[in-house]
Amino acid sequence: SGSQWGLVISDLANKAFVFPAPGSVDCALNMFRNYSQAGCFLCAHHCDQCASGSQWVTPEVCGCSPTFFHENGTLGEACDSCPLGGVCDGGETPPYPKTGYWANTTNPTHFYECLTSRCLGGKEHLCGTGFGYRMCEGTANHYYNLGSSLRVECSGDTSLAIFVHVFWIAFVLATFFFINQFLVSRYESIALFLDSLQRIAIVSNFRLRWPIALGPM
């Protein structure tokens, strides 16, 4: 057995030594080394073109190019163009929304346009201060609504919230008092207008079967 190994070693020693090994030579740009048809991974390889929308990542792997993505983040497969409203960095990075767009973090391949003041986008899928949830239209934790477009942070001191509510109640009462005491008593047309509005509001609550001719009205 010793002579057999000696012959093998001597045969290898007599072979011409090539450096670098053919199987380790890099391929051209945006091509990767494919050893699937090589009998010896150090002996030879095939240089194959990267799939559509992808580029060279490592000598053996191609990944998505910038402005492209793969839905599962898989390397070595064909990539799709970045969806409208999204940003694609390429590689294994999933798409993320631009400013003014929103996406569900569990399915970041469909982007929906929304207010830029609320939807900040980015890799963290950020919403504006105090906003959150779907389309950044909800109210984040520890914030409360002040109108439809303003979120105020909650604090241990509730004096501001109490002041705001008292102010609006006082404003509504003052407006009601002003209309009834000054405008209605001085201008008969305003009194008739308000009276008509009240009648319309009452009649609209009746379940009446109007004639078909009055339907479009």
Side-chain angles (χ1 to χ4, degrees):
S1 59
S3 60
Q4 181 179 359
W5 282 108
L7 291 174
V8 172
I9 295 174
S10 61
D11 288 343
L12 293 175
N14 292 329
K15 296 292 184 180
F17 181 73
V18 179
F19 181 83
S24 65
V25 177
D26 288 340
C27 296
L29 183 65
N30 293 335
M31 302 187 75
F32 68 99
R33 295 196 297 242
N34 188 346
Y35 298 99
S36 61
Q37 300 179 10
C40 166
F41 73 93
L42 286 178
C43 301
H45 64 271
H46 295 280
C47 289
D48 291 342
Q49 184 72 36
C50 290
S52 175
S54 61
Q55 63 183 20
W56 190 89
V57 176
T58 70
E60 286 81 27
V61 179
C62 295
C64 293
S65 306
T67 71
F68 287 86
F69 80 104
H70 190 280
E71 186 172 0
N72 300 322
T74 305
L75 296 176
E77 296 184 1
C79 302
D80 297 320
S81 298
C82 198
L84 178 65
V87 178
C88 298
D89 293 336
E92 300 176 87
T93 305
Y96 55 90
K98 298 178 181 178
T99 301
Y101 286 85
W102 179 89
N104 192 325
T105 55
T106 60
N107 184 26
T109 57
H110 296 83
F111 299 91
Y112 306 92
E113 190 172 5
C114 56
L115 296 176
T116 55
S117 59
R118 297 185 182 185
C119 301
L120 305 183
K123 294 182 179 180
E124 302 298 327
H125 294 248
L126 297 176
C127 293
T129 303
F131 294 92
Y133 302 101
R134 185 173 179 82
M135 298 291 289
C136 295
E137 291 183 349
T139 303
N141 294 332
H142 308 297
Y143 284 83
Y144 65 91
N145 296 354
L146 189 60
S148 60
S149 59
L150 183 62
R151 302 293 186 267
V152 180
E153 187 176 7
C154 299
S155 63
D157 185 8
T158 60
S159 58
L160 177 60
I162 294 174
F163 170 78
V164 171
H165 285 83
V166 170
F167 170 80
W168 282 111
I169 292 173
F171 176 78
V172 172
L173 292 176
T175 303
F176 178 80
F177 179 80
F178 175 77
I179 292 175
N180 282 274
Q181 295 298 321
F182 293 95
L183 296 182
V184 174
S185 60
R186 295 186 180 184
Y187 302 99
E188 185 177 354
S189 58
I190 295 179
L192 292 174
F193 175 72
L194 295 176
D195 183 64
S196 300
L197 289 180
Q198 292 175 351
R199 293 176 184 273
I200 292 173
I202 294 173
V203 173
S204 64
N205 290 324
F206 293 161
R207 295 184 178 179
L208 300 177
R209 293 186 178 180
W210 299 98
I212 298 178
L214 298 178
M217 298 176 64

